[in-house]
Amino acid sequence: MSGPDIITMGCRLNIAESEAIRGMAAGQDDLIVVNSCAVTAEAVRQTRQAIRRARRERPDARIIVTGCAAQTEPETFTAMAEVDGVIGNREKMEAESYASLSRQRPDSDVSAPSAPSRELNGLHAEAQRTRRERSGIPAFAGMTGERVRVSDIMAVREAAPHMASAFAEHARAFLEVQNGCDHRCTFCIIPYGRGNSRSVPAGAVIDKARELVAAGYQEIVLTGVDVTSYGPDLPGSPSLGLLVERILKAVPALPRLRLSSIDSVEIDARLFDLIAHEPRVMPHLHLSLQAGDDLILKRMKRRHARADAIRIVERLKAARPDISIGADIIAGFPTEDEAMFGNSLRLVEECAIVHGHVFPYSPRAGTPAARMPQVDRATVKARAARLRAACAAQRQAWLEGLVGTEQSVLVERSGTAGHAENFAPVRFPTPRPPSSIVRATITALENGVLIAQEAA
């Protein structure tokens, strides 16, 4: 092994930051970094599960936990005997964090603790959570000790200085241009894990984009927590659309630029024109819709109405018919009845959502939605299954419609798989040069993947 083992949970931003961590902790072969996610209670559970699995597989390794779950509930992870150190989202981008926590755990501590010790750790973590919930503050403002360094993320005002590198297992690179969020959706704990919105200056973004293209990457994905809020904190208040224009002009050798999840209400005229008409901006958008019922959207404290979501998709498809739409949708938000859920279910068809990310609602301690009347868990799970089935039906019909077409495919590292510009998955029967862009004819659809042969 060369360098640390990075276990990444959650979003594209975490993927990008994990690669920056890999560089900062280079040479520490005994280190495992778990970059956690807090978007749902299930994500936190999976993080704990990943930690325990990592300890079983590498009992002598050092395990440091970071990311949004570590930021918002550090007591949960300091209570785990498998964990050597916990660092917050600010500290994870500081190289000294990994060296300074390098030898906190004595070798004798690697074994599992006694039952009484586990019980005391759990009681301490529960007490910390209870105090936090009673205060009404979902984020932990700061926690420092021998094994934990988590500062107040809300005090961070500057843009992240590190700039993300590429995700090593993909042919495309993820480039962080923004972090944090100024909005306070009632279900969401992420602003308390990431802090307030802050943008990376365009010059630094362009420099990194040039570096990535020079390294052979043919596609860059601009990523952030709320990427369409880019710019107000920078001199002149540039918009995301202006940033995209500047990247395309300054990096002419970049053939493909993709946007990560965006808020539809923040698509201004400049950004819309680029998405609709610029061939180097990929025809694929993932929209943060969350629900299709106006009352639920209001209770979520979202800034768009159902009609707004339908209207922006109609405009995009009219301007660029080949565009594919993805969306986040929450099933079983508090107070959601069957009629409200039906509005969300119909939105899948009305917005032609073919890349659906469905989340069963999960109450996050301290958020306003957690104090609203809850939908029973069985109903939440059943509604999530119905939403996923609706998205799957839309996706199947969309993929079937692509058979017989020609697509431009970015070949992944395997040489046999890739993605079209609209993010449809493609497989080649015989290997193609990795990281190349191939013009291919789609000949069939097998198990949700398009089969292609290189066009003559």
Side-chain angles (χ1 to χ4, degrees):
M1 178 177 290
S2 178
D5 184 10
I6 312 291
I7 300 172
T8 305
M9 318 295 291
C11 65
R12 291 183 177 91
L13 185 56
N14 259 10
I15 292 173
E17 290 176 343
S18 286
E19 291 311 300
I21 292 169
R22 191 184 304 280
M24 287 186 287
Q28 299 186 47
D29 295 357
D30 65 333
L31 176 63
I32 298 173
V33 178
V34 180
N35 196 2
S36 67
C37 175
V39 70
T40 63
E42 175 63 16
V44 177
R45 187 193 70 81
Q46 290 177 2
T47 297
R48 295 196 302 268
Q49 189 177 57
I51 292 166
R52 294 187 181 105
R53 185 185 308 115
R55 176 58 69 203
R56 288 194 303 270
E57 293 174 355
R58 294 183 62 191
D60 297 325
R62 295 177 295 116
I63 297 179
I64 292 178
V65 183
T66 187
C68 289
Q71 179 69 44
T72 58
E73 46 182 290
E75 69 282 354
T76 293
F77 301 101
T78 55
M80 293 183 68
E82 296 88 351
V83 173
D84 295 288
V86 179
I87 59 177
N89 269 335
R90 181 175 192 170
E91 289 76 15
K92 79 177 180 183
M93 305 319 300
E94 299 170 352
E96 58 269 24
S97 295
Y98 303 97
S100 61
L101 287 171
S102 61
R103 294 295 174 189
Q104 294 296 330
R105 168 188 285 270
D107 291 342
S108 60
D109 285 350
V110 170
S111 59
S114 65
S117 176
R118 286 197 302 270
E119 185 176 349
L120 285 172
N121 284 342
L123 288 171
H124 175 70
E126 185 59 32
Q128 291 276 14
R129 276 193 294 273
T130 300
R131 282 196 294 272
R132 196 152 36 87
E133 290 167 22
R134 287 176 178 170
S135 73
I137 303 172
F140 202 87
M143 186 174 180
T144 303
E146 185 181 15
R147 294 171 54 222
V148 58
R149 293 173 191 173
V150 179
S151 62
D152 181 3
I153 197 68
M154 291 300 177
V156 180
R157 292 291 181 266
E158 75 280 4
H162 62 281
M163 292 301 300
S165 62
F167 183 36
E169 295 179 9
H170 287 311
R172 60 191 184 279
F174 296 89
L175 179 53
E176 179 181 342
V177 301
Q178 181 274 341
N179 205 331
C181 184
D182 290 336
H183 310 300
R184 297 296 181 264
C185 297
T186 60
F187 56 85
C188 187
I189 200 170
I190 298 305
Y192 304 97
R194 288 287 181 174
N196 292 310
S197 180
R198 50 215 188 269
S199 311
V200 179
V205 174
I206 289 168
D207 287 346
K208 176 56 71 171
R210 286 174 173 152
E211 180 182 321
L212 291 169
V213 171
Y217 290 93
Q218 303 240 49
E219 179 177 310
I220 291 176
V221 183
L222 300 186
T223 189
V225 174
D226 182 24
V227 71
T228 33
S229 70
Y230 176 89
D233 56 317
L234 296 176
S237 298
S239 65
L240 178 63
L242 182 58
L243 175 68
V244 170
E245 283 184 355
R246 290 190 61 183
I247 293 170
L248 294 173
K249 182 178 180 180
V251 194
L254 173 66
R256 294 166 59 138
L257 185 66
R258 194 179 299 274
L259 301 176
S260 62
S261 181
I262 65 176
D263 194 336
S264 60
V265 77
E266 292 182 324
I267 300 176
D268 61 14
R270 174 179 251 137
L271 184 59
F272 181 91
D273 186 64
L274 286 163
I275 296 168
H277 304 297
E278 171 53 61
R280 293 163 67 199
V281 175
M282 295 297 93
H284 160 229
L285 281 186
H286 192 88
L287 304 177
S288 180
L289 299 183
Q290 308 303 347
D293 181 81
D294 283 339
L295 184 55
I296 292 297
L297 288 167
K298 183 177 181 180
R299 288 171 177 167
M300 286 178 167
K301 209 174 178 181
R302 299 294 296 168
R303 293 172 298 147
H304 71 275
R306 186 179 203 279
D308 297 327
I310 294 171
R311 188 178 306 113
I312 190 66
V313 172
E314 288 176 344
R315 289 179 59 214
L316 286 164
K317 284 189 168 291
R320 196 167 184 179
D322 61 334
I323 196 166
S324 67
I325 302 297
D328 296 325
I329 307 177
I330 295 175
F333 185 82
T335 76
E336 181 187 77
D337 61 23
E338 188 63 28
M340 294 169 178
F341 169 70
N343 286 332
S344 290
L345 193 61
R346 286 190 295 276
L347 190 72
V348 173
E349 181 177 356
E350 290 167 325
C351 288
I353 296 170
V354 299
H355 307 286
H357 289 183
V358 176
F359 298 90
Y361 172 75
S362 175
R364 306 301 288 125
T367 58
R371 300 190 294 273
M372 297 178 186
Q374 303 291 304
V375 178
D376 71 88
R377 295 312 299 169
T379 300
V380 171
K381 290 180 179 179
R383 289 176 180 172
R386 291 167 66 188
L387 280 170
R388 290 188 181 112
C391 291
Q394 287 289 315
R395 183 177 179 84
Q396 179 70 16
W398 171 63
L399 291 172
E400 288 174 355
L402 294 174
V403 176
T405 65
E406 280 197 6
Q407 300 291 325
S408 179
V409 181
L410 175 63
V411 183
E412 296 286 356
R413 296 291 178 89
S414 67
T416 58
H419 284 89
E421 292 182 344
N422 56 19
F423 211 60
V426 178
R427 186 170 73 244
F428 292 97
T430 57
R432 298 293 186 270
S435 298
S436 63
I437 295 176
V438 174
R439 193 70 186 170
T441 300
I442 306 302
T443 59
L445 174 64
E446 294 181 3
N447 299 318
V449 179
L450 298 172
I451 308 302
Q453 65 180 31
E454 194 164 349

